[in-house]
Amino acid sequence: MSGSAMAADLACLITKNNTNPFFVKMKEGAEAAAKAAGLDFQAYAGEKDGDAAPQITAIENCVAAGAKGILITASNDSVAPALKDARAAGILVIALDTPLGDAEAQDMTFATDNFEAGLLIGKWAAAKLGPEGAAKAKIAMLDINKDNISVDVQRDTGFLVGFGIEVPDLKVLGSETDPRVIGHESSDANPEGGLRAMETLLAKDPDINVVYTINEPAAEGAYQALKAAGKESQAIIVSVDGGCPGVASVKSGVIGATSQQYPLKMAALGIDAIAAYAKDGTKPVASEGLSFFNTGVNLVTDQPVEGVPSIDSAKGTELCWG
């Protein structure tokens, strides 16, 4: 998906925020790829996860500026109508990392297989505990929020399925009834929220010994709550992202395992797709057997378990970002 474009052709990147290292790296990748492809580039961001209003304004600005393509990590599905308007105006819309619930709101998604990312850490956690330990586990689920954002749901349910917990509805959070799940709390995908959510769940059950977190910033907060309660050694923490701070946390033992994704690759491939579209109208196609373009995932852990492929923190450091 490479192509040249006129200098006046514009590509827009709209992320959930501009502070999470994942989105910082995504912006770096998009900006570098746009320069190489001869595209003008504009970047926008919300204030925090779930903050859709600034994203809608950004979409409208990109349409008004005559952008050829928009790359977006959508805060939630309320941005869909604005994206459908953009598509109607002839703009290529590519969702990065977070697919929209409305299939008509994007031409393609470039993303980690987020269900697979969750599945890997779920399988690892269950294997680490062993059959007897997994059967008696007490699990804390630290999600983004209660909005059923696709990336949130896919990682959450993937983890539960990987752990061996029945999930009746893979499209919503919290449909499971397994008593091993102590509860779901919103972390806002940041350290402060992770701390707050972990404190809430520890108050509900002080014997929690497995902590799933939507991302590594939330994992950082969860660890601080466990440490403050003197319980940091009783629980294993698993997460998703694979940023350099998260991989360092794997190396130090704070995080047991994390699923590493590749935001720079997502963004660069997205820009290449916009350049190809600007050149001759070519649109990207999904990976074989999937409904999206899969940008890959690896489990990073220094405690490998049989049957779950992984890389160690040394290799994870070579591939990390942020």
Side-chain angles (χ1 to χ4, degrees), residues 6 26 37 44 77 82 101 107 113-114 121 127 145 153 162 167 171 179 191 219 259 263 269 285 297 306:
M6 298 296 291
M26 189 174 277
Y44 303 85
D77 281 346
D107 290 279
D113 187 333
N114 283 297
I121 54 175
N145 54 34
V153 174
V167 181
K171 295 184 178 180
S259 286
L269 289 172
V285 296
V297 63
E306 188 175 352

Side-chain angles (χ1 to χ4, degrees), residues 24 43 86 106 122 133 147 151 157 205 254 259 280 284-285 298 300 302 305:
V24 172
Q106 68 248 296
D147 291 346
V151 63
T157 57
D205 191 325
V254 169
S259 286
D280 58 20
V285 296
N298 283 305
V300 181
D302 288 333
V305 297

Side-chain angles (χ1 to χ4, degrees), residues 180-197:
R180 288 176 289 178
V181 178
I182 303 306
H184 296 253
E185 288 293 328
S186 298
S187 71
D188 295 323
N190 62 45
E192 298 78 14
L195 173 65
R196 181 181 62 248

Side-chain angles (χ1 to χ4, degrees), residues 6 17 22 37 43 70 84 88 100 103 116 129 149 156-157 181 185-186 225 258 266 269 282 306:
M6 298 296 291
N17 61 61
F22 184 83
I70 294 173
K84 289 166 80 171
L100 278 296
E116 176 68 15
L129 291 176
I149 299 167
D156 173 300
T157 57
V181 178
E185 288 293 328
S186 298
T258 192
M266 283 181 206
L269 289 172
T282 300
E306 188 175 352

Side-chain angles (χ1 to χ4, degrees), residues 59-73:
I59 294 165
E60 293 169 347
N61 288 341
C62 292
V63 172
K68 288 292 186 180
I70 294 173
L71 307 177
I72 183 168
T73 59

